[in-house]
């Protein structure tokens, strides 16, 4: 239109009116485009600010953080000086003092990238073994550092942090970046970094527990050597064992040196398949069993722990069996960097009972005419303070009617005189006071069988008692998805959805042959509560309590009989809808669409999170991309604004020239 008006104006002077109208329209268009340009400039400035100052995380708290929400040096000092905080003790374990912290800048002065600048290590409050998404190599390299109550009589109050490679947290991204304060320990000269948000101490190199060293080239710290421990007990015995009965073996194992790692750990057991059939094996690891009953379980790495892990083997005695059968076997635990240990040989006695048949006289049945007698002794009551033990001996006969007990002889195994109880009952008890130590008690039962030859016979049974420190209880956990009707591996391998009800079962097993009283149980469920709510009414009905400050369910004053287990359950209901909260930091396992819970063994379940939780894996459409789009739009709008302004100016010049020349 512009070219048409200018070209025809010399031939048609009346077009000057249209030129005037077109000029006014161009000026109006220029005003509108200038206003649009101003708004676009304002939007671009806002996007630029969003890139320069990224938004704060909606959640800054994690149980793995040493300090939560650290933004300035002042925040670190406040945590350090807080009398109710353990931050000062943790820093002292790494030889970082208040003066070292005072030397830091007020704001973070360096950026760390996990895959560059050396072998980065950091600390945290939670063990990596509690996180299912962390690679096994980082779990194996983890070191335990005690920072409080070392050397006290009890280990229940000991406090730990954990050293591990920073790359352990490169779970979602190939690497992570962290803002940090850089400082130097005056005691060691070691450079350290304190990460923003989480306050975790970080350094370069495999530096376990830094200590002041007078020499310029200190020897690297030697990790503690692992020490293996294994027990094997028999449980679920229905009174007297007879052919066809079902019972269980409990294998409990651990590496008892906290802070050490046993490598290539293997459990072996030669099961007596000549006398029983294997019904089921409950193990968190794959099992390999040969035809001759040799069982091999590859555990892999085994972190030092104060509690046992367990394997349950359920067996069924064959039927028939000889009149009296003794079934014995033991388990072994080996590692490539530790001495192999064996459990005690575990034996059970099996007898074939007298078969009652009214058509067959009892003296024609050898089990009746010549009864088989087996005795069993247990330390039914133990006072570990006074070291008094009460033994209960039970005699089982294939024909109690023809069995006449003559008396019991107790050899307590500590050199004291043999105690004789001239009892004729099938049960008997005796109490004895011991000195400190471990002792093997033997009981000799004298009996005769009427209707045979009247010769007195003797059966022997034994029990071992240890008045040293109590061995820790075995802890294990399982889960059931009540809503979906899944349990065991099926429940763990399925995805949990909003509204699902999960029932966790905690099992405490007493491997020792005496009752354990006054025991306590607690289980941290903070990671579960990221996505679920606890059923407090059901927990109270089950005798448990909940500590909402530490996110722990607990039971107290627990009594567990000898070689037995007790189970405790609690329920949670998944939130509906599932929260779309982001992770507090890269060094946290919270809100990662996984609920991990460790009680002896790790139970990890995937959560069916909403799509927003997967933004980390979608194309980057954040403020950076928006800023690029705004630059492009601003350029286009600016071009058309300049073009409108130029055309309006040219039209003014044409009108002015036309008027001056009189239309010529």
């Amino acid at each position: 239109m512009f070219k048409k008006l200018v070209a025809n104006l010399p031939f048609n002077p009346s077009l000057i009116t249209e030129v005037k109208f077109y000029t006014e329209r161009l000026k109006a268009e220029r005003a509108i485009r200038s206003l649009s340009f101003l708004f676009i400039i304002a939007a671009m400035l806002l996007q630029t600010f969003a890139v320069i100052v990224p938004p704060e995380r909606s959640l800054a708290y994690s149980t793995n953080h040493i300090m939560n929400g650290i933004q300035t040096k002042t925040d670190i000092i406040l945590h350090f000086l807080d009398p109710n905080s353990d931050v000062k003790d943790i820093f002292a374990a790494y030889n970082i003092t208040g003066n070292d912290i005072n030397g830091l800048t007020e704001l973070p002065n360096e950026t760390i990238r996990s895959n560059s600048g050396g072998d980065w290590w950091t600390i945290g409050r939670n063990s990596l073994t509690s996180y299912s998404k962390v690679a096994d190599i980082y779990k194996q390299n983890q070191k335990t550092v005690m920072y409080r109550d070392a050397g006290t009589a009890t280990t229940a109050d000991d406090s730990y942090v954990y050293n591990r490679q920073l790359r352990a947290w490169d779970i979602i991204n190939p690497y992570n970046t962290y803002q940090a304060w850089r400082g130097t320990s005056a005691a060691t000269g070691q450079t350290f970094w304190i990460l923003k948000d989480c306050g975790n101490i970080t350094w370069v190199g495999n530096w376990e527990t830094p200590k002041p060293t007078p020499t310029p080239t200190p020897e690297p710290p030697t990790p503690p050597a692992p020490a293996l421990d294994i027990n094997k007990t028999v449980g679920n015995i229905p009174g007297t064992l007879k052919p066809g009965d079902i019972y269980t073996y409990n294998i409990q194992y651990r590496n008892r040196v906290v802070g050490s790692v046993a490598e290539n750990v293997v459990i072996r057991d030669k099961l007596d398949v000549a006398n029983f059939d294997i019904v089921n094996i409950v193990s968190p690891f794959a099992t390999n069993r040969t035809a001759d009953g040799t069982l091999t379980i590859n555990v892999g790495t085994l972190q030092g722990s104060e509690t046992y892990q367990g394997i349950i083997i359920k067996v069924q005695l064959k039927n028939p069996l000889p009149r009296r059968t003794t079934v014995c076997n033991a388990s072994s635990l080996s590692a490539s960097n530790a001495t192999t240990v064996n459990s005690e040989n575990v034996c059970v006695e099996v007898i074939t009972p007298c078969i009652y048949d009214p058509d067959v006289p009892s003296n024609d049945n050898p089990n009746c005419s010549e009864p088989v007698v087996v005795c069993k002794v247990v330390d039914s009551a133990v006072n570990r303070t006074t070291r008094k033990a009460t033994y209960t001996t039970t005699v089982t006969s294939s024909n109690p009617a023809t069995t006449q007990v003559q008396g019991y002889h107790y050899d307590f195994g500590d050199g004291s005189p043999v105690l004789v109880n001239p009892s004729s009952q099938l049960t008997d008890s005796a109490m004895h006071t011991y000195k400190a130590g471990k002792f093997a008690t033997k009981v000799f039962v004298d009996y005769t069988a009427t209707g045979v030859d009247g010769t007195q016979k003797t059966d022997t049974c034994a029990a071992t008692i240890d008045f040293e420190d109590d061995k820790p209880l075995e802890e294990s956990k399982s889960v059931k998805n009540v809503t979906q009707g899944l349990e065991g591996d099926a429940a763990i391998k399925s995805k949990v959805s909003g509204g699902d009800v999960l029932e966790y079962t905690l099992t405490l097993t007493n491997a020792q042959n005496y009752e354990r009283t006054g025991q306590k149980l607690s289980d941290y469920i903070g990671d579960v509560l990221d996505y679920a709510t606890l059923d407090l009414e059901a927990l109270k009905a089950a005798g448990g309590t909940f500590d909402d400050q530490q996110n722990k369910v607990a039971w107290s004053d627990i009594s567990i009989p000898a070689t037995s287990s007790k189970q405790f359950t609690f329920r949670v209901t998944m939130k509906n809808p599932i929260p779309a909260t982001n992770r507090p930091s890269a060094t946290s396992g919270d809100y990662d669409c996984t609920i991990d819970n460790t009680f002896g063994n790790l139970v990890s379940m995937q959560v069916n999170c909403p799509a927003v939780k997967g933004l980390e894996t979608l194309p980057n459409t954040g403020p950076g991309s928006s800023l690029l789009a705004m630059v492009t739009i601003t350029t286009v709008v600016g071009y058309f604004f300049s073009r409108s302004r130029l055309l309006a100016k040219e039209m003014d010049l044409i009108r002015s020239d036309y008027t001056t020349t009189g239309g010529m």
Side-chain angles (χ1 to χ4, degrees):
M1 183 67 182
F2 174 75
K3 291 182 178 180
K4 181 178 179 182
L5 286 173
V6 173
N8 293 311
L9 188 59
F11 307 102
N12 190 357
S14 63
L15 290 177
I16 192 64
T17 303
E18 293 188 26
V19 170
K20 180 180 179 181
F21 173 78
Y22 187 65
T23 302
E24 296 300 326
R25 290 294 302 271
L26 284 175
K27 289 181 179 180
E29 181 182 347
R30 181 183 64 182
I32 293 173
R33 292 192 183 278
S34 63
L35 186 61
S36 301
F37 187 64
L38 290 175
F39 282 125
I40 291 294
I41 290 294
M44 187 173 70
L45 290 175
L46 181 62
Q47 290 293 326
T48 303
F49 179 78
V51 173
I52 297 174
V53 184
E56 296 292 334
R57 289 185 174 88
S58 59
L59 180 68
Y61 175 84
S62 172
T63 56
N64 187 55
H65 292 170
I66 302 301
M67 297 172 282
N68 283 293
I70 301 302
Q71 301 295 318
T72 65
K73 179 180 74 173
T74 302
D75 295 335
I76 301 175
I77 294 174
L78 290 175
H79 281 84
F80 188 87
L81 298 178
D82 185 353
N84 298 318
S85 171
D86 59 358
V87 171
K88 186 175 183 179
D89 294 329
I90 295 174
F91 277 38
Y94 292 84
N95 292 289
I96 300 175
T97 66
N99 289 333
D100 297 332
I101 296 175
N102 287 332
L104 303 176
T105 58
E106 180 62 19
L107 297 176
N109 57 347
E110 286 199 10
T111 298
I112 294 174
R113 183 167 142 174
S114 58
N115 67 342
S116 65
D119 182 20
W120 291 98
W121 283 68
T122 189
I123 70 172
R125 292 184 182 273
N126 299 337
S127 171
L128 292 182
T129 57
S130 301
Y131 298 106
S132 59
K133 291 186 177 181
V134 175
D136 287 340
I137 185 174
Y138 301 117
K139 295 180 181 180
Q140 297 167 12
N141 293 338
Q142 177 177 263
K143 309 297 181 183
T144 304
V145 176
M146 181 184 293
Y147 67 87
R148 181 182 281 178
D149 297 315
T152 54
T154 176
T155 59
D157 58 354
D158 294 346
S159 299
Y160 303 94
V161 290
Y162 302 89
N163 294 353
R164 56 284 194 101
Q165 290 172 284
L166 189 59
R167 294 221 60 183
W169 298 109
D170 295 345
I171 300 172
I172 297 176
N173 304 311
Y175 64 86
N176 286 300
T177 57
Y178 306 86
Q179 290 183 283
W181 290 267
R182 177 174 178 166
T184 303
S185 168
T188 64
Q190 175 73 40
T191 301
F192 64 86
W193 289 260
I194 299 176
L195 302 185
K196 182 184 175 184
D197 294 327
C198 63
N200 295 359
I201 303 170
T202 305
W203 62 91
V204 176
N206 189 351
W207 178 30
E208 190 177 358
T209 304
K211 300 182 182 299
T213 53
T215 59
T217 55
E219 292 291 330
T222 302
L228 303 180
D229 186 12
I230 187 169
N231 298 313
K232 186 171 186 178
T233 58
V234 177
N236 193 30
I237 296 181
T240 303
L241 282 176
K242 58 184 183 298
D245 279 346
I246 295 176
Y247 66 97
T248 59
Y249 288 105
N250 298 320
I251 300 176
Q252 298 179 308
Y253 62 95
R254 64 169 176 160
N255 168 14
R256 53 189 172 87
V257 179
V258 176
S260 68
V261 180
E263 300 174 352
N264 303 313
V265 178
V266 179
I267 298 173
R268 293 182 176 86
D269 199 325
K270 183 65 178 297
L271 301 174
D272 190 357
V273 293
N275 292 312
F276 57 65
D277 296 315
I278 299 171
V279 177
N280 186 31
I281 298 177
V282 180
S283 168
F285 310 100
T287 61
N288 179 43
R289 188 170 75 247
T290 59
D292 65 351
T294 301
L295 179 68
T296 304
I297 302 174
N298 293 311
V299 177
T301 59
L302 189 60
Q303 298 278 343
S305 174
E306 297 176 357
T307 59
Y308 285 101
Q309 298 183 49
I311 293 170
I312 299 176
I313 304 173
K314 182 182 288 187
V315 300
Q316 182 174 23
L317 292 168
K318 292 185 176 181
N319 191 7
L321 285 174
R323 297 176 59 204
R324 177 172 180 171
T325 302
T326 303
V327 181
C328 297
N329 71 323
S331 301
S332 68
L333 184 65
S334 64
S336 60
N337 61 337
T339 303
T340 299
V341 294
N342 299 291
S343 70
E344 293 185 357
N345 205 30
V346 178
C347 296
V348 296
E349 300 284 353
V350 185
I351 63 172
T352 301
C354 175
I355 303 173
Y356 177 75
D357 187 341
D359 297 328
V360 179
S362 62
N363 57 3
D364 290 340
N365 189 323
N367 284 331
C368 299
S369 60
E370 298 181 13
V372 177
V373 175
V374 172
C375 72
K376 180 180 180 181
V377 60
V378 296
D379 39 352
S380 56
V382 176
N383 187 322
R384 302 192 68 78
T385 303
T386 61
R387 291 196 292 275
K388 288 184 178 181
T390 300
Y391 291 98
T392 298
T393 307
T394 303
V395 175
T396 302
S397 171
S398 61
N399 189 355
T402 62
T403 303
Q404 302 295 325
V405 175
Q406 305 298 315
Y408 297 82
H409 301 259
Y410 290 86
D411 180 358
F412 297 107
D414 60 351
S416 61
V418 174
L419 175 65
V420 179
N421 281 353
S423 173
S424 61
Q425 303 299 314
L426 294 178
T427 60
D428 189 63
S429 63
M431 186 182 72
H432 186 69
T433 302
Y434 285 92
K435 298 178 181 179
K438 184 177 182 180
F439 307 95
T441 299
K442 292 183 179 180
V443 181
F444 304 91
V445 182
D446 297 331
Y447 68 95
T448 59
T450 59
V452 186
D453 57 4
T455 303
Q456 180 172 293
K457 299 181 180 181
T458 301
D459 191 67
T460 305
C461 46
T464 301
I465 191 166
D466 187 352
F467 279 102
E468 301 297 337
D469 292 337
D470 284 330
K471 293 182 178 179
L473 301 173
E474 175 198 328
E475 299 176 349
S476 61
K477 166 172 281 191
S478 61
V479 66
K480 177 169 64 176
N481 190 320
V482 179
T483 304
Q484 298 184 26
L486 302 172
E487 56 184 303
D489 289 340
I492 293 174
K493 293 178 180 178
S494 65
K495 273 200 171 185
V496 185
S497 301
D500 282 359
V501 176
L502 305 180
E503 182 177 273
Y504 287 92
T505 300
L506 312 177
T507 302
L508 278 182
T509 301
N510 174 21
Q512 294 181 280
N513 56 357
Y514 59 87
E515 184 180 26
R516 303 287 293 277
T517 60
Q519 302 299 309
K520 296 180 180 180
L521 175 158
S522 67
D523 181 28
Y524 172 75
I525 60 171
D527 199 57
V528 178
L529 296 182
D530 285 348
Y531 296 105
T533 56
L534 178 65
D535 188 337
L536 293 173
E537 292 297 326
L539 178 65
K540 183 179 180 180
T545 59
F546 178 61
D547 184 344
D548 57 1
Q549 298 298 316
Q550 298 185 12
N551 285 333
K552 289 183 177 181
V553 292
W555 283 261
S556 60
D557 198 20
I558 301 170
S559 296
I560 306 178
T563 63
S564 300
S565 300
K566 273 196 173 182
Q567 294 183 328
F568 308 85
T569 62
F570 65 91
R571 285 191 172 192
V572 298
T573 302
M574 300 299 294
K575 297 175 182 178
N576 195 7
I578 296 292
T581 309
N582 63 324
R583 293 173 65 193
S585 71
T587 60
S588 169
D590 300 297
Y591 291 100
D592 58 355
C593 294
T594 303
I595 49 176
D596 293 333
N597 188 239
T598 301
F599 185 80
N601 57 287
L602 172 65
V603 173
S604 179
M605 305 180 74
Q606 298 297 314
V607 179
N608 192 13
C609 285
V612 69
K613 286 298 295 177
L615 285 179
E616 293 97 338
T617 60
L618 295 177
N620 184 3
T621 57
S625 299
S626 299
L627 182 60
L628 178 61
M630 291 302 298
V631 170
T632 303
I633 295 172
T634 302
T635 303
V636 173
V637 172
Y639 165 75
F640 284 106
F641 167 70
S642 300
R643 181 173 178 272
S644 298
R645 184 179 179 184
L646 178 61
L647 289 175
K649 188 174 182 180
E650 289 181 356
M651 292 301 289
D652 283 338
L653 291 174
I654 292 171
R655 288 180 59 201
S656 175
D657 181 67
Y658 187 81
T659 303
T660 303
T661 59
M664 300 302 294

